[in-house]
Amino acid sequence: LSSLLDLPRDEDWPFSFMLMTAERRDSPSRMLSVVIVDDESVARARLRRLLSDEPDMEIVAECENGRDAVNTILERTPDLVFLDIEMPELSGFEVLRALPEETMPAFVFVTAFNSYALEAFAVDALDYLLKPFDAERFQVTVRRARERLSARGNQEELLSAIREISETQRDIRAA
């Protein structure tokens, strides 16, 4: 700890970082980009309608098959994907296997089949919406998404701060 206290302060840096993080917690959340993937147009329309009531969520694309989903997710890098499982060309699970782990968005499976639930959570699905679902159940999913994405953002900020402190310490030792 004493070595941290001896670090030169660049505009009171980590203290300004802590203040910035606290301010962000108190401010409205950032806009979350969303992709909807479902081969059924009625299902996409329902998700679109429910998401339209969420002021911090923006639908950036919709896909009706797994192959388009992979390309769109790689191109748009959304925060959140609502993903059907049984679709033409690639299943929801095949879509996930085709994505690089380091760019994997948070995802929610949306399906009419309960038989995939265990597999869904084994691949770290944020949630599993079983069709037909009501608005209240959808709100639970949206709340989970916000919490996980907020935690992911906080974790990335902390890792960045740790890297910056480490680099500063290396520079000091080298001097």
Side-chain angles (χ1 to χ4, degrees), residues 12 23 27 29 38 46 58 62-63 68 74 80 86 99 113 115 119 125 128 134 137-138 151 156-158 162 168-169:
D12 290 326
E23 286 171 10
S27 66
S29 55
D38 201 309
R46 172 137 170 80
E58 176 186 19
E62 294 184 24
C63 305
D68 287 348
L74 290 172
L80 179 61
E86 290 193 6
L99 297 172
F113 305 97
S115 58
E119 188 178 356
Y128 192 90
D134 60 22
R137 177 64 180 89
F138 182 77
E156 288 169 4
E157 287 176 7
L158 288 173
I162 290 167
T168 304
Q169 284 182 323

Side-chain angles (χ1 to χ4, degrees), residues 1-16 18 168 172:
L1 181 64
S2 63
S3 63
L4 285 178
L5 296 175
D6 296 334
L7 290 175
R9 295 239 169 79
D10 179 26
E11 299 178 34
D12 290 326
W13 186 91
F15 304 106
S16 60
M18 288 186 287
T168 304
I172 291 170

Side-chain angles (χ1 to χ4, degrees), residues 27-80:
S27 66
S29 55
R30 69 180 179 86
M31 186 65 76
L32 300 175
S33 58
V34 177
V35 170
I36 298 172
V37 183
D38 201 309
D39 60 323
E40 299 174 12
S41 61
V42 172
R44 289 193 312 275
R46 172 137 170 80
L47 284 168
R48 191 180 325 114
R49 189 171 54 256
L50 289 166
L51 286 164
S52 70
D53 292 334
E54 305 302 325
D56 61 337
M57 295 198 176
E58 176 186 19
I59 300 169
V60 296
E62 294 184 24
C63 305
E64 58 187 42
N65 66 62
R67 193 164 315 284
D68 287 348
V70 170
N71 294 331
T72 299
I73 292 167
L74 290 172
E75 179 183 311
R76 303 302 296 261
T77 62
D79 298 305
L80 179 61

Side-chain angles (χ1 to χ4, degrees), residues 47 50 82-85 108-114 120-121 126-142 144:
L47 284 168
L50 289 166
F82 286 90
L83 183 62
D84 189 13
I85 294 178
V108 173
F109 281 117
V110 183
T111 184
F113 305 97
N114 63 6
F121 289 107
L126 187 138
D127 207 346
Y128 192 90
L129 284 173
L130 191 59
K131 298 174 190 173
F133 54 88
D134 60 22
E136 186 176 315
R137 177 64 180 89
F138 182 77
Q139 285 301 311
V140 169
T141 297
V142 167
R144 284 182 185 160

